[in-house]
Amino acid sequence: MDSIKKIVENIVLDPQFADLFAIVKGARNGFTYGAKIRFPHALVMVFLFRSGTLREKLQIILKATFQHARNLATFATVYKTMMLFLRNTSTEGKESSPHTFLAGLVGGYMVFGRGIQSSVNQQIVIYVFARVVLALARLSVQRGGAIPHEFRERVTSNAWPVFAALSWASVMWLYRWHPETIQPSLKSSMKY
């Protein structure tokens, strides 16, 4: 048994396998994080807004949890594999800024962009999109960003209130005049 442990330890510590283990670790972390995030959310949402037997509700919760976990694990695997491929085929032999964008593009398309768009995938992508918009807004007002220095302070102090107000104004207008366009879970929570 000790000899098997030693062999496994040598393989795990061998730098030759570091990239492979980074991909495996990314998949594991994506799966774990997806399950930790989705399970409590699905539990609350299903028991608040869904009808059905206890068994049916548990099946919905487990299905959503597994889908979220699987998709984040798959994305991490595709992303890290693409990064490895791009780094190894690069003339410099190292990671560069476009590599991360391209790997994210391929992973996002393969995992979240193709096929039937489930509510789980829509929620993940909308969550990511909202965080990206906020990050790009912050980036635009940083030194050297897109906003000239003389306007930076005014934009920084007013950006959030304007963003919040426009978000709520838009959703209320859509809910009142075009409710069929609103994502079903949002509409359901607004109706509640």
Side-chain angles (χ1 to χ4, degrees):
M1 190 61 148
D2 285 338
S3 62
I4 293 173
K5 280 173 83 174
K6 186 68 175 163
I7 291 170
V8 170
E9 184 177 320
N10 286 339
I11 291 171
V12 169
L13 295 176
D14 189 339
Q16 171 185 344
F17 299 113
D19 292 331
L20 174 64
F21 286 125
I23 294 169
V24 171
K25 183 179 177 184
R28 181 207 61 196
N29 290 351
F31 193 90
T32 303
Y33 183 76
K36 284 171 59 175
I37 293 301
R38 179 56 61 175
F39 182 76
H41 176 266
L43 184 70
V44 170
M45 297 304 285
V46 165
F47 279 101
L48 281 179
F49 298 112
R50 292 284 185 113
S51 58
T53 66
L54 178 62
R55 181 185 181 107
E56 291 168 337
K57 288 180 179 184
L58 289 175
Q59 285 175 333
I60 292 168
I61 292 165
L62 293 176
K63 181 180 175 188
T65 300
F66 179 75
Q67 183 182 12
H68 196 134
R70 181 196 62 216
N71 288 356
L72 290 184
T74 304
F75 176 83
T77 301
V78 171
Y79 175 80
K80 289 195 169 278
T81 302
M82 280 296 300
M83 288 297 293
L84 178 62
F85 172 77
L86 292 169
R87 185 185 74 213
N88 289 337
T89 58
S90 168
T91 55
E92 297 87 34
K94 62 181 184 175
E95 179 182 316
S96 68
S97 179
H99 291 169
T100 54
F101 185 86
L102 186 57
L105 183 75
V106 170
Y109 174 75
M110 289 180 69
V111 178
F112 300 105
R114 299 184 310 169
I116 297 170
Q117 297 310 307
S118 68
S119 60
V120 170
N121 277 356
Q122 287 180 355
Q123 290 166 8
I124 294 169
V125 171
I126 290 167
Y127 174 87
V128 168
F129 177 77
R131 278 17 181 218
V132 167
V133 168
L134 290 173
L136 290 173
R138 284 189 193 108
L139 189 60
S140 73
V141 295
Q142 287 179 354
R143 183 181 202 129
I147 306 296
H149 178 69
E150 56 273 10
F151 298 114
R152 201 170 286 146
E153 184 60 39
R154 203 165 8 156
V155 169
T156 301
S157 63
N158 293 310
W160 182 256
V162 170
F163 174 72
L166 286 174
S167 295
W168 281 99
S170 299
V171 77
M172 296 315 296
W173 181 80
L174 286 167
Y175 181 72
R176 175 67 176 92
W177 299 105
H178 302 282
E180 73 282 358
T181 64
I182 296 177
Q183 205 269 343
S185 68
L186 176 60
K187 187 166 39 174
S188 174
S189 66
M190 292 177 78
K191 224 185 270 189
Y192 184 76

